[in-house]
Amino acid sequence: MTGILEVRGLYKSFGALAVTQNVHLTLEAGARHALIGPNGAGKTTLINLMTGVLKPDQGNIFLEQRDVTNMSESGRVKNGLARTFQINQLFRKLTTLENVALSVSERLGKNHVFWSQAWRNSEVLDEAMVLLKRLGLQSDALTVIEELPYGRQRLVEIAITLGLSPKVLLLDEPAAGVPSTETPIILDAVDALGDDIAVLIIEHDMDVVFRFAKSISVLVSGAILTEGTPEEIAENEQVRAVYLGESLDA
Amino acid sequence: MTTKVYDAENPVVFLRDRTRWHWAEALPWIVAVAIFFLQPITLNLGVQILITIIFALSLDLILGYGGVVTLGHAAYFGAGAYVTGMLSAHLGWNEPISGLLAGATVAGAFGFATGWILLRYHGLALLMLTLALGIMMAELANVTEVWTGGFDGLSGIVIDPIFGIFENDLWRRNYYWYSLIATFFVFLACRRIVNSAFGRSLVGIRENTERMRAIGSPVHLRLVTIYTISAFMAGIAGALFAQVNAYVTLDVLSFARSGTILIVLVLGGTGRLYGAFVGALVYILVEDELAKEYPAYWELGLGFVLVLTALFFRQGLLGALESFVRFCKRLKA
């Protein structure tokens, strides 16, 4: 069985601290996979390894059967791997529309052009505007990011990533820090992602995980404890002991 | 409720058309031409201001747009000045325009080579490395006395009349136009670059480098590209300086020059191109005035101006003006 994104035998240590230990993970096309685990389990590290922010000590990463372990971060993005950040990484002094236009423009390879005027034929801006509409952000198109409430900023975080038309999308706690009244907007946006995109979501909120995921991996101390369908994970005694605790019983 | 910073019917049209020319953009050029005819200041001082504008514009490309802080930009100014000067003094290459372009090209190539290494670093490490580069260049020019004239300066520069007609007269009447035209071309290039998609991606790098990487941007390559262009333009400023004065000293590579141009740009306002115009004009006029009035401690007055800017006009003089205009518009609304 081959997936669109495959991680094989990944290891990473920071000094004596082994943050990733022999991790195997496969995402099929159209996957809705959740990665859960207690704080410090190494979930974000795993995303950083997959996207190329960090280099693994050992192991390989395959994107559409192609070994991308030594490929640069930008190379992987060009090949369809995109991520969002747990803590917003936005262009805070730019408008919402420009934030998204930057990623659309980068995908279309226009950001190399330094002689003709940006967006003069508005192809990039039009596409960015379509994305904003999809996420209900059109009324904020000309609002500068730092003036937006946090929940809206989280949506921009997703919109920027969608501007890259990814094949594989890694969502690092998309609903983190968003007031509970606004989480549905984020979740609807995630639900509305196309079936052709494989999605890996890191999330602490179990309601989100069980609503969204068709399969779940549990990461504990850098190693995969177990994998399975949401039902299997919910029934798994080991998982309940290590991570879910009483939160499911309640 | 969020406040809308811009209000427009159609955001796409608004952003697309934001880069169109505004009537106010004609002002600096009207002022420059008026200076020639009315001469409220000497044209020699005018030429100095123009050269400083070009140098500050080159710095604005990397600092104001790319977010690269440097304390060694004089290295490229000096490279332009010495190359243009040495071509004339040693090889008899006296034609001004090709000499200017030759100096700028060498400065640009040098910017590419050094930028490739320097821009792997950022923050304090980058600051220290650019500082070291500037000092090394000054020392290099000092020890290669045979070519540069070392501490005594490079003399023997002879520049032919421009197009065989316009000489470098004592009042700088011709060289004022020569510098003004050079400034205009450099400005046009800068304006085009910062308004291009490439320029917008530089702003992205300045605002959030990590995010630019995550959307697939080759950050290092982008920064090296703009650094090279910036070094080329700094080289133009240096080459002009050598041609106007027909003399080059180690001073062109001094740390003070790197520091001063940073101050000029911050004073005017970074990341808006016109900050270079305002900064250069104000800095040089204030310097000139204070040096006349208080020859012994004019730098104290200049320091005072800078402290005031840093305290009250964080965005520079032009930034303060923009805030004021926005404030007035809000009052009206």
Side-chain angles (χ1 to χ4, degrees), chain A:
Chain A
M1 204 166 67
T2 48
I4 189 162
L5 179 74
E6 268 189 87
V7 171
R8 286 192 208 148
L10 220 53
Y11 284 88
K12 178 75 189 176
S13 301
F14 295 123
L17 184 69
V19 282
T20 308
Q21 301 183 63
N22 194 23
V23 169
H24 292 263
L25 194 74
T26 303
L27 289 188
E28 305 290 332
R32 293 290 183 271
H33 194 89
L35 183 66
I36 63 173
N39 283 327
K43 301 184 294 291
T44 299
T45 302
L46 193 56
I47 285 203
N48 283 337
L49 287 169
M50 289 194 261
T51 53
V53 174
L54 296 172
K55 290 265 169 272
D57 298 333
Q58 214 185 315
N60 295 83
I61 298 147
F62 295 87
L63 193 57
E64 295 185 295
Q65 278 87 58
R66 186 163 157 214
D67 191 336
V68 296
T69 316
N70 293 315
M71 192 184 272
S72 70
E73 199 181 344
S74 66
R76 295 181 206 200
V77 176
K78 296 256 157 28
N79 281 291
L81 180 66
R83 55 110 38 117
T84 65
F85 290 85
Q86 183 181 356
I87 297 160
N88 284 342
Q89 296 287 350
L90 304 170
F91 310 110
R92 294 183 56 80
K93 300 228 183 292
L94 304 184
T95 61
T96 303
L97 184 56
E98 282 173 296
N99 266 259
V100 180
L102 267 177
S103 83
V104 172
S105 178
E106 193 70 60
R107 185 192 88 231
L108 296 174
K110 287 184 186 291
N111 281 356
H112 287 297
V113 182
F114 64 83
W115 201 243
S116 65
Q117 303 291 276
W119 313 322
R120 229 340 117 73
N121 55 15
S122 71
E123 173 197 354
V124 170
L125 289 178
D126 286 337
E127 188 182 332
M129 202 62 202
V130 170
L131 277 170
L132 292 191
K133 279 182 187 145
R134 222 167 101 192
L135 294 175
L137 284 166
Q138 71 272 29
S139 61
D140 293 318
L142 289 182
T143 309
V144 173
I145 293 294
E146 55 186 9
E147 311 240 339
L148 278 182
Y150 196 80
R152 313 282 296 164
Q153 290 189 21
R154 287 311 273 166
L155 284 172
V156 179
E157 180 75 35
I158 294 172
I160 289 178
T161 311
L162 292 182
L164 301 168
S165 300
K167 294 172 192 150
V168 181
L169 181 55
L170 311 176
L171 297 169
D172 197 350
E173 297 195 39
V178 177
S180 55
T181 48
E182 289 182 42
T183 29
I185 311 174
I186 309 269
L187 294 183
D188 290 343
V190 173
D191 280 342
L193 294 173
D195 288 337
D196 48 332
I197 306 180
V199 184
L200 177 75
I201 188 170
I202 292 180
E203 191 49 72
H204 275 298
D205 186 333
M206 284 306 128
D207 292 336
V208 174
V209 170
F210 284 99
R211 166 176 162 176
F212 167 83
K214 300 205 174 69
S215 55
I216 298 177
S217 295
V218 184
L219 195 69
V220 178
S221 309
I224 301 277
L225 181 69
T226 182
E227 264 183 355
T229 63
E231 294 74 28
E232 286 165 356
I233 296 298
E235 295 302 315
N236 188 308
E237 292 298 327
Q238 232 182 333
V239 175
R240 295 171 76 116
V242 168
Y243 181 56
L244 301 178
E246 304 114 12
S247 68
L248 268 192
D249 304 330

Side-chain angles (χ1 to χ4, degrees), chain B residues 76 106-116 119 224 227-228 231-232:
Chain B
Y76 311 107
V106 172
F110 183 55
F112 176 77
T114 47
W116 193 268
L119 295 166
V224 171
Y227 198 80
T228 305
F232 179 86

